[in-house]
Each structure stands twice: as C-alpha cells, then as structure tokens.
Amino acid sequence: MRKQAWLRAAAGLTAAALVLTACSQKSNEGSSNNDNDKATKSAGWPETPLPDIKKGKKGGTFRFGISEPTAIDPYNAQESEGLLVTKYLFTGLITVGPEGDVHPGVATKWESNDDCTKWTFNLKTGTKFHNGEEVTSESFKRGWERVAAKDSASEVSYHLDGIKGFDEMQAGTATTLSGLDASDPAKLVVTLKDPNCEFYLRTYHPVFSPVPSTAGSPTTNTAYVEQPIGNGPFMMDGPWQHNVGIKLKRFDGYKVGHPAYLDSVEITITANGNQDEYAGYQNGTFDWARMPTPVLSQARSTYQPQGQWITRTTNGMNYLLVMVTKKPLDSAKARKALSMAINRDAIINGVFKGSQSPADSLVPPAFPDAYQKGVCAACTYNLDEAKKLAKEAGLTPGTELNFQFNVDAGHEEWTAAVKDQLETNLGLKVSLGGVQFKDMLNNEQQPGSTGIYRAAWGADYPTPGNFLEPLLSTDAIGAPADKPTVGDNRGRYSNKKFDSLLEEAKSEKEESKRVSLYQQAEKIAIGDDMALIPLWNRTQHRLANTDKFINLRMDFSENPDLYEISIK
Amino acid sequence: MATAAQAVLVESAHDVGEPPPEAGRSKERSRSQFADMWRRYRRNKLAMVGLVVVGILVLLALLQPFISPYDPYDQNLENTLSSPGGDHLMGTDALGRDLYSEMLYGLRLALVVGLATMLGSMLLGVALGAIAGFRGRFSDAVIMRTTDIFLAFPYLIGAILVVRTFGSGVTQVIIALVVLGWPTAARLMRGQMLALREAEYVEAARSIGASDWRIVVRHIMPNAIQPVFIYSFTSIGIAVVAMASLAYLGVGVPPDTPEWGRLINQGIEQVQVAGKDYLWMYPSAGICLTTLAFAFVADGLRDSLDPKLR
Amino acid sequence: MGKFVIRRLAQAVMVVIAATLLLFIGLFVLGDPFASTGDKVVPPATQEILRAKFGMDHSVPMQYLTYLGNLFTGDLGIDFDQRRPVADMLGQAVPATARLALVAIILDVLIGVVAGIIAAVWRYSFWDVLVTILTTLAIGLPTFVIGLWLRQTVSGVWIFPQVPRSFTEQAPWYTEVLLPAITLAVVDAAFIARLMRGSMLEVLRMDYIRTARAKGLGERTVIMKHAFRNSIIPVVTYVGISIGILMGGAIITETLFQYNGVGFLLYKSIQFNNNPVIMAIVTFAVLVYVLLSMIVDILYAYLDPRIRLS
C-alpha cells in the first residue's frame, strides 16, 4: 500500500518535470523576431567631462582600495596598483595630464640635439626629498642606475634600454650608466644608443624617478623598499603593511608645484578587487571605486544622478591577437572577414550592458591628435561582406580556429559570445580555451601557434608609437620563425613599409610630423593589413565621492589624481 | 571534499570493533537477507525520499536531450540576465542561455562525473586497500604512506596540478577527482580487511587449504565491501561538490560548459546586482539536492544493513 | 610498541620528502615564473638575471637539494614577487590561520557535540529529524555558497565587522575571525553532530549502560558520565584530522572574507607562480598533516592490540 503511494508520488513528480518542459527544443530568440532586420543598438556610454580644476584647501583624508602591489619602490613598481603609489611618492622629469598633455616636472625644459641622440634636461633647483635632501641631476642618475644594476634584478629595467651603458650594467660589467652625465647638478644629459625623438616621453614612467642617497641597493636596503623616500607631493606615513594597507600623508615641503591639498590618503588593500571596492563605496568606506562589470548599469543608474559617476575612454585597447603567419588567418582578407563577422555592438550590449564602445582603430581616441576615426574599416559588422571575403580567403565553414583567453579576469562571457558569432556567421569550428595568463603568453610565443588570442594593451608612454612599435614592428618579434617570440609582437606581423615609417617617426623632431607618420603606419597595419583585430576601446568607469571632494578625476594612468583632490 | 571523506573514515574506523557477521553461505540465505534489508530500508522515510529523488534525477539526466526546452549552448545576446518566467522557466544567464536547459545539462554532467569518479576511485581504492589490509607489513606500509602523500597535499594544489598537466576537460576532471578520491576508499577497505582477516571463519577456511585469493574474494570481501559500498553513494555527492568547487576556482571543464559549478561562478559575478540571485541559487540548490539525495540513500543503506538497528 | 613508533616515524619522514619532491617537480609544470610581468613579456636578458638571482639556473636536482639544505637551516628563501623573506610572510599568515582554525574548531565542537547528543538521546523526535536535515543540508552546500551568503547578509550587522572596511579601522581579532570561522564550522559541525549521534546511539545500547540505569543512576548521570565519555572517541579523532586540514589554510573562505591567512597566501602564490611561497606553505601543510596522522595511528595502535602486533 505504501509502495503504491511512493510510486504514484514518483510518477507525479517526473510527469511534472516533463510537462514543465516542451517536448521539442525551441530556438532561443528572445526579444526580437528576426535578428537581421532590427539594427543592433549602437553601444557605449557618453564620457563625463573632466572637472575644472579649482584651487583647493588643506585638509581631509581620501580613502580607496587596491589589490596588493608587487612593489611601490620605483626600481620594480610594475602593475597599475604599485605604479599608482610610486607616482605620488615621486615626481619625475615630466608630468602628464589626464589627456596625455606633457608638462614640466622636476625638469623645467628639455631638448635634444638634431639627431635626437642626446637629451638635455634643465632641472628646477631647490626641490627636496621627503628627508630634506636636495634633488639634483645626481639623484636621477642614482635612481636610474639603481634600476639598471644587474644586482637589482629589476623586472622593469627594459624602459631604460636605449641609454648608453645600459647593456653593460645589465651584464654586470659596469656599475654606472655611461650615457648619463650629472656633472652639473642642475642639468641631466642623457646619451642614447639610437636616435629617439620621443625619449623624453619615457621619463613619465615612475621607473625614471630620482632617489635619495639613503636608498642604497634594493637587495640590501629592504627598509627603503618597504617605505620609499621620494620627492613627490605625498610621503609614506609608516611602512607598507602587506595585504593590509598603505598610508600616505602630504609632503609640506613640496616645491615642484603647489603642495597637495589632502592631509592624508588611506589605501586599503582588498582581497577581492573590484567587488570589494564597489561594496566599500556603497557602505561608505571608500571615496573612489572601480566596479565589477556586471554591476555597471545598476551603479550608473544609482550614482550618475548624484553626480558621482565617471566614464572616460583611456589609454588602452582591447583586441584579438592574430597569428598572421599561419593558417587560417594568414591573409588580410581572412582577418577582415573574421572582424566583420563579429557584431561588437551586440556583444557590448548583451554582455557588457552597453558600458564599452566599439573600436574602430588601434590607436585609441584617448590620443586625440593621433586618433583616426574609422581607420579600421573592417571593424564594422557586415555579414554579407564578411561571408564574401571569407569565401575568397578560403575561410570555409568547418575551418578550425583556436581561440584562447586568460581565466579569472572576467573574459568568460564575451569570448563565448564571439565564439558563438563566428560559428553561427561563418560556420567556423572554434575551440575556446581558458588558461592561466602565463600559459596563454607562452602559447602565443610558440612558433606553431595559430588562431586568435584575447589581448589588451596600454601604452607606457603618452605616444601612439608605444602602441604601434611594441605590437607590430618586426624588431618586436625578436626571434626567427622557428623560435618562440620574445617581444610583444607575438602575432609576428612584419611589414617593411610599416617599419620604415616608424623609424622615420623616431628620428622626427617635429611632433605633428611624427604624429602624421604614425597615422600612415596605422593605416597600413590596421586599415590595409588588419594585423590585429580591435574589439572595443578601453573605457573606464569610476565612482567618485563628489559630496565630500572636488577635482576628482582619473590621471593618464586611470588612477585617482591624488595631487589635485581637495575637500570641499 | 576532504572533510566528508575523513568523517566517513572515522565513522567506519569506529565500526571496525564490531563482531563480523557469519560467513556467506548459500544463495537462499542471501536472498532473504536482501528482502530483509529492503524491508528495513523502506521503513526509513528519509531514505525512501532520497531514493525517489535519485531516481528522478537519473531519469531527468537520461532524458535531457529530449526534454531540454532549448539547446543549453544557444546564446541570445538580446535577452541576457532575464528573470525567471515567461519563455524561460528559470530565466537566462549572462549570455542569454536558458538556465533551465543549462541546469538539466549540468545535472547530466554532474551525474556522469559523479558516477565515473565513484567507480574509478572505488575500484582503485578497494583493490589497493584490500592488498594493504590483507598482506600487511610492507605492502600495507607502502600503500598507506602513498595515501598519506595524496591526503597531505592541500586539495587545491593537487587538483590544479593534475588538471594543468592533463589540460582541461571532463575526462581530466574525472581523473583529478579519482586521483584525489581513491585514498579514502583505500583506507576504508584496509580498515575492514585488518579487522576481518583475523576472524574465525577465515582461520577455518585457511585450515582446509583455501588459497589467499579464495579467502579474500569469497569470504572477506562480501562483508568488508559493505562500508565501502555505502560510502560509494556518499562519494557521488562529494564528487559533485568537488567538481563545482574546482569550477568555482576556474579549474576544470571548458569555460562555456553549462556545469553547475561554472554556473555558480558566473552567478556570483552578478551577486552585487539586485535581483540576480536566482543565477547562483538554482545551481546551488541543484548541488545541494543531489548531495542530499545520495547521502540519504547512503544513510538508509547503512541503517538497513546494520543488524542491530531494528 | 617502540619499534612501531620508530617505523612509523621513519615512514612519516619519507612521506614528507616524497610529497615535497613531487611538489617541486610539479611546480615546473605550473610554468615559468619569470616569463612575464603583468601584461608585458620580460625580455630574455632580464629573465636570465632573474633566474640567476633566484638560483633557478642550476639543474633541477641541484635546486631541490639546495632547497632542502636551506630548509634545515630555517631559510625559506625569498619570494619571487615582492622579494620578501618567505619566513616573514608565513610568520604573519600562520598565526592568522591558527586563530581561525581554533575558533572554527571550538564552534563546531560545541555545536556538533550538543546537537549530536540531543539527536541521540531523543531519537526519532522532532529534534532528531531537524538535526538530521540540517546536517545533511550543511554537507550538501559548498563552502563558498555558505560563505558568500553570510558575507552578503551578515557583514556589518551586530558584532560582525564590516567587510570591506578601511584598513585603519582594525577590528579586534576575535570579531574579524568570526564570519570565516562560522563558514568553516558549519560543515564540520554537521559531521560532528552525525558522528556523535551515531556513536552515542551505539553506546546507549551497551550492556553497561543498562547496568548503570538498573543501579538507579539518574538519566543525566548515565548520559553525561558514562555514555558521553565513550562515544566522544570518534569525534576526537575527527577533530584531530580537522585541525590538520584547517591549518593547511581554507583558501576559499579566507579569500571571501579578506582574511590574511595561509590559504589566501597560497592561492595568490599559485596565480603568480611564486614558487618559494608555494613550497613553504605546502611543506608546512604536509608536515602538520603527517604529524597528526602519525599521532592518530600510534594512538590507535596503542589501543588496539591486533594492529599493534601485526
């Protein structure tokens, strides 16, 4: 009797489960009846304007969160978190505004000789380090040699490559940079191995900071590494508390510009990145926050009406790295077909809820002088043209395509969407793989690698050359075809005309001429050859506590501009 | 994961002290024993619920290709993250895929992986554990210390190492889980072996000249296998949770696979957005239900096989 | 007995060496730590310098021996990422994890034992069923789901410190440790409750309990003085192993709650191929586990002559 009751219950439940589902599979169409006649809404949120910088007043504590940096000492600061702290502890030869505009730093003016192999920086006198020691050309020489020394084993020393004497220091056969002349304390003279008319832009990177004589070697004087003494508008208020936080306070003796306004800055080190920052902003812990992608719409609708929202396109580009020397994407036609088969707007609207803007170039709009709108003609979605080109290029349905991305960085969804589009639109067979970042890098470097890889790039120096050269010049491959690449041009794109345009630009003193050379180069690499496939511009969103503070903006490296922030 | 396994270890170790049941004789005796066992099992309400639920889950998994309303991989970028209701019983995920279809597919995957892991680790564990327990001395030491090495390694490292070496995919996940799961079964089996090989009926069999092999297979195994058999049901649940935890950490099956752990992972990304909790709650409930069902069955089996609990 | 201990000790040492060797080799599978910093490749010249600095330009056996040698002098090396002494990093993380483990154990023993006793003494009552359901529910839910839900709902409420919070507002350690400890304790408490219940049920059936009752002793004395003491043994074993596993660091829980313990350190080190830290932590975890396992084995051998004399 009981047995029957059980059987009946079981049958009932199963029947319910079956009834709840249709017996034949529906197709997943959703809100539109026919995909093709409804034009996809064009994606992207408008940028918020930069605030007018007003004179501030002393006082206040600014709080935000970052993840644990690798280093805050200029000798090894590498990722954006570490560079953020270093940038405000130290001031270099030049300073750069949020739009890439260059201004004097410790150097009041700079100029090169005619062939751009020798640079002379005139330094402001009377500026000091946080410990009272004076900042001279010797301080810069000391700092740069500290980075280049073999013993320091700096992972960012490559920025100094090109200065005479660098190779010797890296090999351990020299202890000074022969190319640096600091005999005049108010003048730093730099001699380069090869012409580089943009050398002065490099010094924007914190690795070129001056250090006091107490710094010593980073391997022996670890106390300095934990609590660097710099010459910037802020100084360390106690040592770095690992995995806990970093406290900064205003350096009242700052003479390079006006002293900072904030009394102190509390940088909390979070464990869960963006999630913690957003939660922290919501509960009032932080005055500045990044957000995880899924919450962007919600956050924007909450905070934009309150004037606490920032959207800016920044110095960076998201793209697909293409292995251009191997099938199936070894022809420009094939690459263009692929690019035109990707509906960027649909992905941005669906996956990113409209928070990104589709790319139409490699050099991003954040470089207003160099940006060429629409130089990537194949970045527009055009299914018919894509199919036509695919046929011509031999990219037939059933062709296998390898597609890799790095895990734990939020790329799972959009890459799956791209895969789906390529399979649906071009009939390709895409094998999607998620691996650790280092493994993906390793895979990209191998001579036999094929297909596409998720990639992103941000310039180290405020010049479009720092997009074009490291990513697409032949030198940046660094290895023959049968060996793994060592540079950042892992797609192995090589074009003589492109290379010679870049060479010309490097030796061109006149800035506007340089920019036009870069534009021509970009036209070849992206417009004609589609050497890589731009996807969407790097757009950054931030929450900023405008209730309490003024002058809130991102600097050129997407960090909060601590120097100008002030309480109301 | 490790904690579940260790609990079972301790429970069974505690059982070792029991007097062993009589040596298995003729088949008629077994048949009435089975009926006895089934009667006792049926009396246990929770166990019956567990059995029914397991049955339903297996049925759903088998019928998945036919009853799934949508293709679980079918994306619809215009209808992402929509709440349950309307065309989509459980709503859609971040790529517009139907969550209910993904749940069904994930169930199928979970049961397949759970079952395969269970079979793999049981086979390996029972074989090695029996050798260790029966032979004693050197083989015991070698095998037990090998299990120590596996058990001592923090779980995550072991799983990552295995998956990184072999790549990601369902087979590799099964391999990783078997590699991490066999030590528990081996210890269980060994414990039983140690206790039972000194039993009188074993001595009796030896005295009439039965070979080691015969003794192990015909006399000891049927009794020793009992706790392992019970544990095997729990281990299915453990494997499902383990696979989900691995997926949560980004290790395991290809990224766009609708596997419950991945679904939870993706759902957690949305956790700060209001009203999207269904994304991780459904797969979590799925894992919970599956684990519970198998655990109830295992519990019921243990109670029904225990002669003392009448 | 003495020979057994020595044998066991020797085996334990071998296990540690084997595990660390396995790990050392495994680390090479995990990839080249110096290939890239962030998004950019490291130029080969710099890679050479880095390898020389960290002694990775020697052969693998040489590196392993050097590492072992340093281990004996207490030199755990410098980490690859921030170039700090690993001993310092562990020195901060281990006490934090120890505190977490301690609080978690206290919580789960208290809750588990009490729940188990109640379920056993009032068998088949509402409480028994409640405990059974709650415990199996707790076992069914993955840890990260429990932790996440707790974090979403409870942080900032009452004594639970706000997560996240500014680092200058340091909560006293016993409040900081509460939420992660509760998350960890939930599953363990469930297992302990079940163990306690099963064990107590058996003991309550024993003859000497009947005798005690017949002697006229009050029910409370019978339970607390006689039954409890005997049924607590498997719980003790379980807790012993639990401590070992918790000391290895609860990766998921620590990361969820911003808790700077060993688990979180390990997780980050795996991501960045920070080999010296991984080696140090896993060696530490293996040591703790092996030690505890050895102690448990010796205790069992001491108590059970059959095993001791085999």
Side-chain angles (χ1 to χ4, degrees), chain A residues 199-442:
Chain A
F199 175 75
Y200 71 102
L201 289 173
R202 281 203 191 183
T203 66
Y204 156 74
H205 194 283
V207 77
F208 291 94
S209 302
V211 300
S213 53
T214 54
S217 157
T219 40
T220 48
N221 187 1
T222 51
Y224 183 82
V225 176
E226 299 292 315
Q227 193 173 357
I229 299 169
N231 67 330
F234 289 94
M235 53 190 289
M236 295 288 290
D237 186 359
W240 174 7
Q241 294 180 50
H242 289 279
N243 293 304
V244 173
I246 295 174
K247 195 143 183 258
L248 306 176
K249 65 184 180 191
R250 176 181 56 242
F251 174 45
D252 287 306
Y254 188 65
K255 293 278 183 348
V256 182
H258 66 78
Y261 302 119
L262 293 168
D263 280 342
S264 64
V265 180
E266 285 175 14
I267 308 176
T268 303
I269 295 177
T270 62
N272 292 300
N274 293 350
Q275 277 195 346
D276 284 348
E277 289 180 44
Y278 179 58
Y281 192 88
Q282 286 179 307
N283 71 20
T285 304
F286 296 139
D287 302 307
W288 176 271
R290 294 173 284 198
M291 295 153 280
T293 309
V295 310
L296 285 173
S297 313
Q298 171 188 278
R300 185 163 180 258
S301 51
T302 312
Y303 290 104
Q304 197 188 35
Q306 301 177 46
Q308 297 182 18
W309 181 265
I310 296 179
T311 292
R312 307 235 14 119
T313 49
T314 56
N315 155 28
M317 179 58 66
N318 296 292
Y319 59 96
L320 293 173
L321 174 69
V322 187
M323 295 295 141
V324 304
T325 54
K326 292 267 186 316
K327 291 203 174 315
L329 296 173
D330 54 346
S331 70
K333 279 210 178 113
R335 299 190 287 271
K336 287 182 179 170
L338 206 80
S339 176
M340 288 196 256
I342 298 176
N343 187 345
R344 290 161 179 74
D345 286 309
I347 296 180
I348 292 173
N349 285 330
V351 178
F352 297 115
K353 296 294 181 215
S355 62
Q356 301 291 312
S357 61
D360 58 358
S361 66
L362 174 61
V363 177
F367 290 93
D369 298 324
Y371 168 59
Q372 302 174 89
K373 189 174 166 69
V375 66
C376 173
C379 287
T380 327
Y381 180 55
N382 189 337
L383 196 47
D384 299 318
E385 186 69 16
K387 286 193 176 139
K388 173 161 149 290
L389 284 179
K391 204 143 163 257
E392 288 172 26
L395 199 61
T396 49
T399 312
E400 291 192 2
L401 186 69
N402 170 45
F403 182 13
Q404 279 195 7
F405 67 94
N406 48 314
V407 292
D408 289 334
H411 301 303
E412 278 76 13
E413 266 103 46
W414 73 257
T415 50
V418 168
K419 168 183 170 178
D420 189 63
Q421 285 185 344
L422 292 178
E423 288 184 333
T424 312
N425 293 339
L426 292 179
L428 301 177
K429 219 172 126 225
V430 181
S431 64
L432 182 64
V435 294
Q436 292 293 318
F437 186 81
K438 284 187 192 281
D439 293 329
M440 183 177 76
L441 210 64
N442 189 37

Side-chain angles (χ1 to χ4, degrees), chain A residues 468-469 472-475 493-506 516-526 528-529:
Chain A
L468 299 170
E469 195 185 340
L472 299 169
S473 73
T474 308
D475 280 340
Y493 174 71
S494 179
N495 181 313
K496 288 210 166 59
K497 186 92 185 33
F498 178 83
D499 291 334
S500 67
L501 282 168
L502 288 188
E503 281 299 313
E504 245 190 277
K506 274 227 292 243
S516 118
L517 287 167
Y518 284 139
Q519 288 182 326
Q520 291 174 48
E522 188 187 2
K523 192 142 193 325
I524 295 178
I526 300 297
D528 300 335
D529 292 343

Side-chain angles (χ1 to χ4, degrees), chain B residues 84-147:
Chain B
D87 277 337
H88 300 276
L89 185 68
M90 289 187 182
T92 60
D93 72 358
L95 287 168
R97 306 204 273 208
D98 178 45
L99 194 60
Y100 180 60
S101 307
E102 292 188 292
M103 285 292 295
L104 283 177
Y105 188 89
L107 171 67
R108 191 183 165 88
L109 200 59
L111 288 182
V112 164
V113 171
L115 199 68
T117 307
M118 185 267 271
L119 286 172
S121 37
M122 288 306 123
L123 280 172
L124 197 59
V126 164
L128 289 175
I131 297 175
F134 192 71
R135 283 253 137 93
R137 267 287 160 127
F138 186 68
S139 358
D140 184 23
V142 165
I143 294 179
M144 279 302 106
R145 297 297 81 80
T146 313
T147 61

Side-chain angles (χ1 to χ4, degrees), chain A residues 121-137:
Chain A
F121 296 86
N122 292 64
L123 305 178
K124 185 169 182 170
T125 52
T127 65
K128 300 222 192 307
F129 283 105
H130 302 148
N131 63 358
E133 181 181 320
E134 186 158 342
V135 179
T136 63
S137 58

Side-chain angles (χ1 to χ4, degrees), chain B residues 4 7 11 145 156 292 299, chain C residues 11 136 191 194-195 234 245 251:
Chain B
E11 283 196 50
R145 297 297 81 80
L156 179 67
L292 277 179
D299 270 358
Chain C
Q11 291 171 2
T136 22
F191 276 113
R194 290 158 68 83
L195 268 180
I245 293 181
I251 293 175

Side-chain angles (χ1 to χ4, degrees), chain B residues 1-11 13-18 46 137 140-142 145-154 156-157 160-161 164-165 187 190 194-198 241 244-245 248-249 261 264-265 268 271-272 277 280-281 284-285 287-288 291-292 295-296 299 302-303 306 308-309, chain C residues 7-8 11-12 14-15 18-20 22-23 26-27 29-31 123 129 132-133 136-137 139-145 148-149 151-152 187-188 191 194-195 197 199 202 205-206 230 233-235 237-238 241-242 245 248 251-252 256 266-267 270 273 278 282 285-286 289-290 293 297 300 304 306-307 310:
Chain B
M1 279 189 289
T3 44
Q6 86 206 56
V8 171
L9 268 176
V10 175
E11 283 196 50
H14 186 70
D15 287 341
V16 163
E18 280 180 35
L46 279 177
R137 267 287 160 127
D140 184 23
V142 165
R145 297 297 81 80
T146 313
T147 61
D148 269 347
I149 296 178
F150 279 89
L151 288 172
F153 246 69
L156 179 67
I157 301 265
I160 289 185
L161 275 178
R164 296 276 212 105
T165 330
R187 298 204 122 184
R190 173 212 185 234
L194 278 181
L196 294 178
R197 72 176 182 193
E198 307 299 329
V241 174
S245 307
Y248 174 73
L249 294 161
I264 297 180
N265 206 3
I268 287 179
V271 79
Q272 290 176 309
D277 289 316
W280 63 268
M281 281 186 155
S284 298
I287 294 181
C288 196
T291 318
L292 277 179
F296 284 155
D299 270 358
R302 184 161 39 94
D303 283 355
D306 183 351
K308 286 212 223 134
L309 298 172
Chain C
R7 244 189 304 135
R8 211 39 199 88
Q11 291 171 2
M14 281 196 293
V15 168
T20 51
L22 215 71
L23 174 69
L27 286 177
V29 172
L30 281 181
R123 196 180 180 193
V129 174
T132 310
I133 292 187
T136 22
L137 212 84
I139 295 169
L141 280 173
T143 322
F144 57 88
V145 172
L148 195 78
W149 181 81
R151 188 180 119 124
Q152 292 290 104
V187 176
D188 269 357
F191 276 113
R194 290 158 68 83
L195 268 180
R197 170 184 176 271
S199 171
E202 274 192 50
R205 240 188 309 283
M206 292 286 177
N230 292 311
I233 297 173
V235 174
T237 318
Y238 180 85
I241 303 179
S242 224
I245 293 181
I251 293 175
I252 295 175
L256 262 178
L266 183 61
Y267 183 60
I270 295 175
N273 286 56
I278 300 176
V282 175
V286 168
Y289 177 88
V290 165
S293 158
D297 267 2
Y300 264 8
D304 189 343
R306 286 181 300 178
I307 302 176
S310 72

